[in-house]
Amino acid sequence: MDKDTIELVLAAAESYVATLDDDEMGYEDFEAETQLIDAFGIQEIGDDAHRCATWLCVLASQKVLYGWAALECESDLPSQTIEAVSKWVQEGIQPRDWQLLTTPAQARRKGRVIMDCDTCRAEPIASAAAQTARFARTAASKDAAEVLCDVFSAISEGVYWSERDPMDFQKWVGTVAIPAALELRRLSEAELYS
């Protein structure tokens, strides 16, 4: 990505952090999230801008992915999905079955669909992973915006790494995830779970 585009993305991230109230996350219009993704200037599927924006979705999904196992959900489809999309972004390796990856895993525990209070934690994790794969295939800003909203939803329902409250999600996106996404850089555990 060129310097001007990087500056636009960083400015959009700054605006995203400064103007977005937590209570606004998760609504169907995804306006703030869509504007952030649009700042990448994606021209076509697989271009540098698309790969960087997809990497942002990978990083965001990884922030809550551990919650799937912590909730004792069966199947590791969300992890497989994020790993497959990571390989596509980093190495250009196409997954064998994009269709499988773009379908959210059903949250099951002990063979039964999770129907208790863990539903609101597990479903957004599965959705974030599937939407990450969908965005890799479509480059549609709405798909990436949904990833950010799903991750926020999982965090707001209690899926976060430490006993202390995590960094405000929007701040984390703007100050930790966006700079790493622009470099296609993996996050340290400290960065991921801050």
Side-chain angles (χ1 to χ4, degrees):
M1 288 177 41
D2 63 53
K3 185 179 177 181
D4 291 339
T5 303
I6 289 172
E7 288 177 8
L8 284 173
V9 172
L10 293 174
E14 214 172 279
S15 176
Y16 175 74
V17 171
T19 62
L20 191 59
D21 179 357
D22 279 353
D23 294 337
E24 294 177 27
M25 291 288 290
Y27 290 103
E28 291 188 20
D29 66 359
F30 308 119
E31 186 178 334
E33 296 80 11
T34 302
Q35 289 174 357
L36 178 62
I37 300 304
D38 285 344
F40 282 85
I42 299 167
Q43 298 297 312
E44 63 184 20
I45 295 172
D47 68 9
D48 287 346
H50 180 226
R51 289 177 56 239
C52 288
T54 303
W55 194 246
L56 172 63
C57 294
V58 166
L59 297 177
S61 294
Q62 286 175 337
K63 188 164 180 66
V64 296
L65 197 55
Y66 76 91
W68 188 257
L71 293 167
E72 300 176 350
C73 296
E74 297 169 359
S75 161
D76 62 347
L77 183 58
S79 292
Q80 290 175 14
T81 299
I82 295 305
E83 181 60 29
V85 176
S86 295
K87 285 183 179 179
W88 176 78
V89 170
Q90 295 283 326
E91 303 166 31
I93 298 171
Q94 293 285 335
R96 283 187 233 160
D97 187 357
W98 279 108
Q99 182 62 36
L100 173 67
L101 302 178
T102 60
T103 305
Q106 189 173 50
R108 295 179 158 277
R109 184 186 301 131
K110 296 180 182 176
R112 293 185 164 184
V113 175
I114 295 175
M115 301 291 285
D116 60 18
C117 59
D118 286 338
T119 301
C120 60
R121 295 170 188 76
E123 287 180 353
I125 296 168
S127 179
Q131 290 289 41
T132 296
R134 186 169 294 129
F135 178 64
R137 298 303 300 145
T138 66
S141 298
K142 184 178 181 290
D143 292 333
E146 286 187 45
V147 172
L148 298 178
C149 288
D150 284 337
V151 171
F152 174 81
S153 180
I155 291 169
S156 69
E157 291 296 335
V159 180
Y160 48 87
W161 186 252
S162 66
E163 291 179 14
R164 63 179 174 75
D165 285 339
M167 178 189 299
D168 176 80
F169 180 66
Q170 295 88 324
K171 183 176 180 182
W172 179 85
V173 167
T175 62
V176 177
I178 291 279
L182 291 170
E183 298 173 5
L184 296 178
R185 177 178 63 80
R186 295 188 185 276
L187 295 178
S188 69
E189 189 172 290
E191 290 174 310
L192 189 59
Y193 299 122
S194 59

